[in-house]
Amino acid sequence: MTTLDGRFRGDERIFAVMKALVLNAIGSGFELEDVDMAAPVRREVLVEVRASGLCHTDLTIATHPIFPTPSVLGHEVAGVVAAVGPEVTQLRAGDHVVASLTQACGACERCLSGRPFQCGHPDATVRGSTEPSRLSRKGAPLYQGFGLAGFAERVLVHENQLVVVPKSLPFPQAALLGCGVVTGAGAVLNTASVRAGDTVVVIGAGGVGLNAVSGARLAGASRVVVLDIQDKRLDAARRFGATDVVNSAKTKAVEAVRDLLPGGADHVFDFVGMKAVSESGLEMLNVGGGLYLVGLARPDVDVAVNVMAAIGGQKRVQGVNYGSTNAKRDIPMYAELYLQGRMNLDDLVSRTISLREVNDGYAALKDGSLTRVVVTSF
């Protein structure tokens, strides 16, 4: 049971039965089922989900053998704290929260130096193998994607993965702060440290790439060139602050960028994750420029780098995980920028759906007119 402050005191193994989308096998799609949720223990927090975004990463996981099955995915989550475990200190019932997919122990050298996205002990945020699973179905455990499992009515999460946000922040926009916003804007502001006057190329104007455009604008980039193969997405990129757009299905991408930026770009961000696209990004760089690999079309993509060209051109290639985000610092900052009218989150939410419509929602994202689909009805 919970006390009046929402602190959970009971020891029941099953706290609630809820609806969740289960991935029973790779490529099988998401199936709406009844799932058992355990009671919160130690530093776990029970959250009533109010919004859950459809990120392409979950679709990649659902179609490639990356996580075990059966599992519950979904990692762009916003909601309200319903109950907390007895050792929770950072949250209380009624708080509005956004979940972070970074599982950070908070105690290792990387976490203590402000790099929780490089945590050495992410297993500290989940239960041990000898403990009852947080999620189960008919007594059998379900894998909890990223320690979140947000395609569900509720989530049970370690407090290190939750960030309090203002109650004036709408839940659909808040959910996108958990991944798409911080990954895109963070790649620009944290990983690349784009400075005022720098030139930026963004390849891929989907839900994450548009946030890189927002980040480049916040950083004061002098030119922000966006490439995509769909004109609808390029139109959206202009609304987010792109200075130039290129339809790479209609022209040679490298030549187009070189026409706009004769010396090449200081920073190129690849949100597509295909071999040919990544390698073309290298050709777009100025001397001393950096290519940042953010998107992942498939888990087996390789990129060829000519060492002589990299040395002579002093170019760098860097993989970006979660926008090098310190969630406890960055998510409240982006929330405040949105509330001040300085960051566009409203145009990211293209459609809201119910939990049972997630498979259709992913199919609809193939339409270039949609940026992000968010579950708001459970």
Side-chain angles (χ1 to χ4, degrees), residues 293-316:
L293 306 177
V294 190
L296 185 65
R298 290 171 27 184
D300 58 351
V301 175
D302 293 321
V303 177
V305 178
N306 183 283
V307 176
M308 179 62 74
I311 294 174
Q314 303 170 56
K315 299 176 182 179
R316 62 193 179 278

Side-chain angles (χ1 to χ4, degrees), residues 218-283:
L218 286 169
S222 60
R223 300 285 289 275
V224 183
V225 181
V226 179
L227 286 73
D228 203 284
I229 61 174
Q230 298 191 46
D231 288 331
K232 292 178 181 179
R233 288 183 174 178
L234 295 174
D235 291 340
R238 288 192 183 279
R239 294 198 300 273
F240 278 76
T243 59
D244 307 272
V245 298
V246 174
N247 187 318
S248 53
K250 300 177 180 178
T251 187
K252 294 181 179 179
V254 175
E255 292 181 9
V257 170
R258 287 284 179 174
D259 287 342
L260 293 166
L261 306 173
D266 297 313
H267 310 275
V268 175
F269 299 88
D270 175 14
F271 292 95
V272 177
M274 297 176 63
K275 178 180 176 65
V277 173
S278 300
E279 292 175 358
S280 71
L282 278 169
E283 298 181 57

Side-chain angles (χ1 to χ4, degrees), residues 97-262:
V97 291
V98 169
S100 162
L101 64 83
T102 293
Q103 296 172 254
C105 71
C108 70
E109 181 270 334
R110 299 283 176 152
C111 286
L112 293 175
S113 63
R115 293 172 289 171
F117 52 91
Q118 296 177 347
C119 176
H121 303 287
D123 55 311
T125 63
V126 296
R127 295 188 178 187
S129 59
T130 61
E131 296 181 281
S133 176
R134 288 177 181 168
L135 299 178
S136 60
R137 181 184 54 188
K138 298 179 181 178
L142 294 169
Y143 184 79
Q144 186 182 24
F146 297 107
L148 295 175
F151 289 155
E153 293 179 298
R154 304 176 186 87
V155 293
L156 185 59
V157 188
H158 192 283
E159 67 174 323
N160 285 359
Q161 287 187 257
L162 294 171
V163 180
V164 177
V165 293
K167 292 184 178 179
S168 56
L169 186 67
F171 286 113
Q173 286 81 348
L176 302 185
L177 291 175
C179 177
V181 174
V182 297
T183 298
V188 172
L189 298 172
N190 297 332
T191 313
S193 298
V194 171
R195 298 176 298 180
D198 284 354
T199 54
V200 168
V201 171
V202 174
I203 306 176
V208 183
L210 291 176
N211 288 293
V213 176
S214 290
R217 184 185 61 183
L218 286 169
S222 60
R223 300 285 289 275
V224 183
V225 181
V226 179
L227 286 73
D228 203 284
I229 61 174
Q230 298 191 46
D231 288 331
K232 292 178 181 179
R233 288 183 174 178
L234 295 174
D235 291 340
R238 288 192 183 279
R239 294 198 300 273
F240 278 76
T243 59
D244 307 272
V245 298
V246 174
N247 187 318
S248 53
K250 300 177 180 178
T251 187
K252 294 181 179 179
V254 175
E255 292 181 9
V257 170
R258 287 284 179 174
D259 287 342
L260 293 166
L261 306 173

